[in-house]
Amino acid sequence: MNLKKKILFVGFPNSVHSENWINTINFKKYDVFFFPTNTQNLILSKKIKFYKNHFKFGIIKKIFFFLLSFFSIKKLLFMPKIYLKQLIHNKYILSSYVSYLRPDIIHCLEFQHGGYLTYDALRKNNFNQYRLVISNYGSDIYYYEKFNFHKKKIREILFFFNEVVCESKRDIKLCKKYNSQIKTHLILNSAGINFRLGKLSSLKLRKNIIVKGYQGKFGQFFLILFYLKKFKSEIDYKNIYVYSSNFFSRIYSNIFYKDLKIVFLPQMKKRKLIYFFKKSFIYIGASISDGISTSALDAISTKTFPIQTNTSTLNEMFREKSILFDLYNFDDFKTKILFVNNNKNKAQNIINRIYTKSKEYDYMIVKSKILRLYS
């Protein structure tokens, strides 16, 4: 007789956050199932039971569900990108899968895709029999509550789910604003920091800058390049390593910023990417909305000085304003970069203090919190 509890995760199958979080689970104690919210390739552990292996729909039924999904005109108008991604993995399929699986815990890893989908799938059913948990990623409320449609959905989500996981007090406060009674958990979405990275050289011995190359709805990679070009002659560096950039970003950068000595890194596993962090004295990340930036934590774990937009909650963790800049304030950005460039000893002292403080978020400590969450 199988006495294992069943956990059903709903989220992105290609997300490193999903992968890191689920890898903390004790598979001897839990059967783990996963329902995807997009059609990207699965990068999760083979121990996870992906929904297609357990519940198959005939083509006629899939077409029927697909057509039904078009009746939600409001969603199509106000969140078309999210909604179109859900046409294949939609609420009718998820509802049927939950009825078939009967999990003990349903955990949605993010609001706008997983949370909205699960709410729509289960709200008319007897959902009280399940323990419903949702993770708040950095922009889920902080950014999306600015829009009336999403604000209404966020309120519905926070009254529907029993518990919410947040990685910052800022986001717990935002959740409580909508539902003061909801149970909250303060846990890093990235599942903690790996400090077992070998020898780390001092900032004085490093000659590179590493930049997150995400340009899109949130990421502002091009603005970073625009800023750096304005005072590049004042910065002592060898290369600018750029990762997580798409094809368009590479073409654009090679045309307009070819004099910045940019080296685009191919897609690689985290352990290989960390090598380039260890060779860099500054990490730069820019986003119009963020939580605790995982890339900034990667920088801290390698004693690379992080320079991150103040839309993140890094200051909540480390109380250090020198690691944050105002996205649309060039002078602020320049001041923060040149401080590290021109004062390596002072910058080293700051990053050493932050590094020590960050030991509170060691992977094994965070893992124990995650395991307690499901007990």
Side-chain angles (χ1 to χ4, degrees), residues 306-321:
I307 303 290
Q308 181 73 36
T309 41
N310 59 10
T311 51
S312 79
T313 54
L314 275 181
N315 198 45
E316 181 182 303
M317 295 174 71
F318 302 113
R319 303 298 178 191
E320 180 54 62
K321 293 183 178 180

Side-chain angles (χ1 to χ4, degrees), residues 185-196:
H185 305 273
L186 187 62
I187 308 174
L188 284 184
N189 290 322
S190 61
I193 307 171
N194 176 19
F195 290 98
R196 299 148 192 87

Side-chain angles (χ1 to χ4, degrees), residues 25-64:
I25 303 298
N26 183 350
F27 288 93
K28 294 181 180 179
K29 188 175 179 180
Y30 300 99
D31 276 330
V32 178
F33 301 83
F34 195 91
F35 189 91
T37 54
N38 65 27
T39 57
Q40 299 298 312
N41 292 331
L42 182 72
I43 65 170
L44 303 171
S45 168
K46 292 180 180 178
K47 296 178 182 178
I48 297 168
K49 298 170 184 178
F50 199 56
Y51 92 104
K52 287 185 178 179
N53 297 329
H54 291 266
F55 198 79
K56 298 190 179 202
F57 286 90
I59 188 65
I60 301 300
K61 192 175 283 188
K62 276 194 173 183
I63 293 171
F64 175 69

Side-chain angles (χ1 to χ4, degrees), residues 129-146:
Q129 61 186 298
Y130 309 114
R131 182 182 169 196
L132 300 171
V133 183
I134 188 165
S135 288
N136 172 77
Y137 285 7
S139 299
D140 290 357
I141 301 177
Y142 180 72
Y143 174 80
Y144 282 101
E145 72 168 355
K146 300 171 185 176

